Amino acid sequence: MGKVITGATMSLDGFIAGPEETGFDLLFQWYGNGDVEIPSASPDVPPFRISAASAELVRHEWADIGALVVGRHLYDLTNAWGGRHPLDVTTVVLTHRRPDDRPEDDEDFVFVTDGIEAAVARAQELAGERNVVVNGGQMARQCLEAGLLDEVGVELVPVVLGGGKTLFGELAGTPVQFEGPVAVVQGTGVTHLRYRVRK
């Protein structure tokens, strides 16, 4: 079984989204400021164009991803990525209610209503020996609180948003310490940081 990982692009003042879901154009500039093209499986998300240093890191990491876990909010916010996540793996959506237009699970999306533990367990079944990535601040917080998380990745970008959402939100049981950084990679307009969760 692989690892359970979370991560996000983060501003210098610690936000993964600005007030009222703003700031993504500033946070995600690094996805389009380089010379190396990384394909996207989503019809609504164009290929990424990132620096060589970023590409070397993410190609390796993304190849090890077997499934994703996201919340219903991110699923709705992205309009289900046009039907397929850009990373081209099955996405497990934790939700209180399945969308009306998705009566059955398929290779694109699986819906779980039984909580974060069940969502991660289902993603691990789908991923096999590969890693599971938990995406979105609320999902990351729930995963960390439940003791399910192994690693955290931060893509730190040179912007200050002044407010918004943080990666772990209103985390219970703080402070929480991590090991590392176990990796630091300097891309163009982004510094990639990796940490291990102390268990």
Side-chain angles (χ1 to χ4, degrees):
M1 186 177 299
K3 295 176 287 191
V4 178
I5 300 168
T6 195
T9 297
M10 184 182 294
S11 67
L12 291 180
D13 52 346
F15 297 103
I16 64 170
E20 298 181 18
E21 307 291 353
T22 61
F24 296 116
D25 56 330
L26 299 172
L27 289 170
F28 297 148
Q29 285 180 1
W30 71 274
Y31 280 123
N33 67 5
D35 298 325
V36 181
E37 184 171 294
I38 307 288
S40 167
S42 166
D44 288 358
V45 178
F48 307 103
R49 296 195 61 83
I50 59 180
S51 68
S54 293
E56 184 177 351
L57 176 71
V58 303
R59 278 182 172 151
H60 172 73
E61 290 182 340
W62 291 0
D64 286 339
I65 297 172
L68 300 170
V69 176
V70 305
R72 179 66 184 270
H73 178 70
L74 184 58
Y75 173 87
D76 289 341
L77 183 67
T78 61
N79 197 27
W81 297 276
R84 182 74 173 167
H85 192 279
L87 297 185
D88 202 23
V89 294
T90 303
T91 302
V92 176
V93 182
L94 180 58
T95 182
H96 294 295
R97 187 175 62 85
R98 173 188 289 275
D100 293 336
D101 64 343
R102 293 253 179 204
E104 301 290 335
D105 292 342
D106 56 31
E107 67 178 14
D108 296 316
F109 296 101
V110 172
F111 295 87
V112 173
T113 59
D114 300 335
I116 192 66
E117 291 90 348
V120 170
R122 183 68 180 106
Q124 287 174 320
E125 289 175 14
L126 293 165
E129 297 299 313
R130 296 165 74 195
N131 296 331
V132 169
V133 170
V134 179
N135 201 335
Q138 188 177 67
M139 298 298 98
R141 176 187 56 78
Q142 291 181 32
C143 211
L144 185 59
E145 289 174 345
L148 300 172
L149 207 56
D150 297 307
E151 291 185 5
V152 177
V154 173
E155 323 310 331
L156 190 65
V157 296
V159 63
V160 173
L161 295 178
K165 292 184 179 179
T166 61
L167 177 57
F168 293 110
E170 300 297 319
L171 182 66
T174 55
V176 177
Q177 291 186 300
F178 301 90
E179 296 175 357
V182 295
V184 178
V185 174
Q186 181 61 59
T188 300
V190 60
T191 302
H192 307 277
L193 305 166
R194 301 296 181 260
Y195 300 90
R196 285 197 193 98
V197 178
R198 288 185 179 177
K199 300 220 175 176

